[in-house]
Every structure is written in structure tokens, then in C-alpha cells.
Amino acid sequence: MSEQVSEIAELLHALSHRRLMARGKRGAQIVVVGGGVIGCAVARHLAAAGADVVVMERGTPGAEASSAAAGMLSPLAETAGPGPFLDLLRQARTAFPAFAQMLSAETGIEVGYRDRGTLMLALTAADEAELDERYRWQSAAGLEVERLSAAEALRLEPNLNPEVRWALRFPGDHQVENRHLSRALWAAAARAGAHFRLGAEVIRLSCEGSRVAGVELFGGETVEAETVVVAGGSWAGRMAGLPRPLPVFPVHGQLLAVEALPPVFAHVVDSPRCYLVPRADGRLIAGA
Ligand SMILES: Cc1cc2nc3c(=O)[nH]c(=O)nc-3n(C[C@H](O)[C@H](O)[C@H](O)COP(=O)(O)OP(=O)(O)OC[C@H]3O[C@@H](n4cnc5c(N)ncnc54)[C@H](O)[C@@H]3O)c2cc1C
């Protein structure tokens, strides 16, 4: 997996380099469609490497899923089995503390990285079966997972439902304040030299032959680009002109934030049905 991550890094580097070479000749640029955490992170990286980057954002950067999310960095609680996806999530999680520090140094925005771990509760027989299976494959793979009795879980988190049967603890599953992360990535990308066009909705990729040539905006304007990065989140597949359908679709979720002072939990508390994420400012995010 580390080779795959390196390949992505090399690809980003190659894109930046190609842009630098082309910039003098044609004034072409990289267009990033979407200013969520993904688009801003890509824009920051490319702009910092010297590329000429424009982020097209139809609304406000970071205002969609990136702000709505609960900010859990939960490779072990969220994946159904071992494989490249889990490896990628674990590597990303491992890199996160340094990334958070770097963003804070670049922008002065603290992204609220917290490493208190995650508890997953078994409250029903069905939960027990699911957690048993999770514990089986994760411990067999040598991953960081602990099985706690009800008494041990309640000792760690006295405000848990006392009917908890037992729990798993993932000490390496952490969280970030995703609204701050979104702002920090926007600021870091802009600081690195990426340009943001707000209110610019891309409706179509324009191509010349088999190569992308730019984007068409709502209203008719076209913008040339040698490279287009599609980072439109759950809307990514809706753009016309994509060379092939993107298998991206929205999944419904609900979040509720309440003020819980003094804080009721230190860990993120998860279950097969819903989760509770305690924030440093006293908010408790409940999500399903
Ligand atoms: C309720 C909820 C809870 C979640 N909880 C977690 C969690 O705990 N942990 C976790 O890791 N993930 C979580 N996620 C998922 C996470 O939020 C997303 O994976 C992540 O934010 C995706 O970032 P993005 O930049 O791809 O998308 P977005 O943040 O949605 O950004 C896409 C941007 O593209 C713009 N855009 C789209 N189409 C166009 C266009 N044609 N032209 C111009 N602009 C366009 C949009 O306006 C938007 O700003 C959660 C998501 C939700 C909804």
C-alpha cells in the first residue's frame, strides 16, 4: 500500500512539474473542481509545488460534507475487513498528527486533532456478533484493538449506558474538528498560491480528442486547463463530459450537535447504529 500512496504522491509531483513546464508556453493551469477538504488539500499540495492552480467552487469552500462530517478518523471502527482501503486509512491516520501541526503552522488554525481513541459498544446480541467478528479479524491481523468487559468500559467512561455488554477499544482511532480542518485547508491552499473562484459551478469537462482541455462553467464561460482534478464530493459524477461514469453517489446521514457540559465522554463512542463524538468545546455530536 505504501507503494500506492507513493505513486499518488509521485503523480501529484509529476502534475506540478508538467504544469511548471507548460505555464511559460501556454499559460495553462490546473483546475480543481470543488473546494472541500479533498479539493483544498490537492490544491494546496500542487500550488506549494509551484503549479498554477484554480479551485472552482460553486458555493463556499468546505461548506458541504467537509463541514457536516463528524470528523472521526476511524480506520478500525469504519472498515469491514482488511485490504488496501484499510491500509490507506491507517497510513492517512498515522500521518495526521504531523499534517495537523503543519496546517496549524501554515495558517494559525488549530484543527482540533484529538487522540483519545474510540470505544465501540455491544448493547444487543446482534452488536455482540458484529463486534466479535470485528475483533476476530482485527486481532488476527495484529491491529490495535482491545476487548473490554462492561466493567472496564464503564471505568474508562462512567457515563456509558450501564447496559453495555462489552466493548471494543480502538486506541488509534482519533478525531479532528472537521470545520476547522476545512477552513485551515482552504487557508493553506490560498496561502500556497492557489486561486479560488467562488460561485463558479463547473457543468462540463471540455475535451480535445481524448485529452481534457478545460471546463465549462454555469453561465457559459469556458476556462482552459491542461489538467482537471474532479473533487466535487458526492456531486462529482454529475458533471457532463466525464470520460466514464464515476461510481460516486451520496449516502444519507444525520447529525445532531448538543452542548454537553461538563463533557460526558473522552472517547468517541461508537456502535453499529450510531456514534457520539465529544468536542473540546463541549459539543457532543450524535450521528447515524
Ligand atoms: C453527516 C456526515 C458525517 C460524516 N462523518 C465523517 C467522519 O466522521 N469521518 C470521515 O472521515 N468522513 C465523514 N464523512 C465523510 C466526509 O465528510 C467526506 O468524505 C469528505 O468531507 C469529502 O470531502 P470532499 O472534498 O470530497 O467533498 P465536499 O466537502 O462535499 O466538497 C465538495 C465540494 O465540491 C463543490 N462542488 C461539487 N460539484 C461542483 C461543481 N460542479 N462545480 C463547482 N463546485 C462543485 C461543492 O460545493 C463542495 O464544496 C461524513 C459525511 C457526512 C455527510
Side-chain angles (χ1 to χ4, degrees):
M1 193 60 208
S2 58
E3 298 93 80
Q4 288 173 23
V5 173
S6 310
E7 270 173 35
I8 294 170
E10 273 168 30
L11 176 66
L12 289 173
H13 179 74
L15 285 173
S16 315
H17 185 69
R18 215 169 64 198
R19 287 296 324 114
L20 277 176
M21 295 296 100
R23 183 199 260 171
K25 286 183 270 169
R26 296 172 43 192
Q29 57 188 199
I30 297 174
V31 165
V32 176
V33 183
V37 286
I38 302 298
C40 286
V42 168
R44 168 186 169 275
H45 186 93
L46 293 173
D52 185 4
V53 182
V54 176
V55 179
M56 300 292 181
E57 169 54 57
R58 64 181 181 188
T60 303
E64 299 290 353
S66 297
S67 285
M72 293 179 290
L73 306 170
S74 307
L76 297 203
E78 294 279 321
T79 38
F85 183 55
L86 173 63
D87 296 342
L88 175 65
L89 295 187
R90 290 182 64 229
Q91 284 198 21
R93 192 268 325 272
T94 302
F96 220 95
F99 185 59
Q101 269 183 7
M102 197 163 60
L103 284 179
S104 161
E106 286 174 19
T107 65
I109 299 172
E110 293 296 335
V111 301
Y113 180 77
R114 292 182 72 186
D115 60 358
R116 301 300 295 272
T118 296
L119 287 184
M120 185 176 273
L121 310 185
L123 291 159
T124 66
D127 292 353
E128 288 191 276
E130 189 170 331
L131 266 65
D132 257 334
E133 172 58 12
R134 187 172 288 278
Y135 183 69
R136 188 196 58 72
W137 71 260
Q138 293 189 348
S139 51
L143 300 171
E144 271 186 294
V145 55
E146 300 163 7
R147 191 180 170 125
L148 305 181
S149 66
E152 288 168 329
L154 284 161
R155 227 181 348 263
L156 279 179
E157 292 288 1
N159 291 315
L160 289 180
N161 183 340
E163 289 179 16
V164 60
R165 297 177 178 205
W166 52 275
L168 294 180
R169 178 165 184 265
F170 309 107
D173 276 16
H174 300 158
Q175 64 150 299
V176 66
E177 214 313 358
N178 44 288
R179 295 183 306 179
H180 297 183
L181 176 68
S182 302
R183 279 216 328 276
L185 280 167
W186 177 10
R191 186 176 168 277
H195 301 283
F196 282 77
R197 284 193 55 181
L198 308 190
E201 180 171 10
V202 174
I203 57 167
R204 178 186 308 279
L205 282 187
S206 2
C207 294
E208 282 166 11
S210 61
R211 280 203 57 84
V212 72
V215 294
E216 182 184 331
L217 303 183
F218 181 76
E221 183 187 349
T222 57
V223 178
E224 284 184 18
E226 189 180 89
T227 303
V228 176
V229 178
V230 179
S234 58
W235 301 274
R238 289 199 185 164
M239 209 183 310
L242 291 167
R244 66 179 76 91
L246 287 180
V248 178
F249 53 89
V251 176
H252 190 81
Q254 302 277 6
L255 278 186
L256 173 75
V258 293
E259 196 171 7
L261 287 171
V264 284
F265 299 124
H267 291 77
V268 170
V269 177
D270 204 349
S271 85
R273 288 170 300 285
C274 62
Y275 51 81
L276 298 168
V277 182
R279 294 285 199 233
D281 63 5
R283 281 177 311 132
L284 186 67
I285 314 288

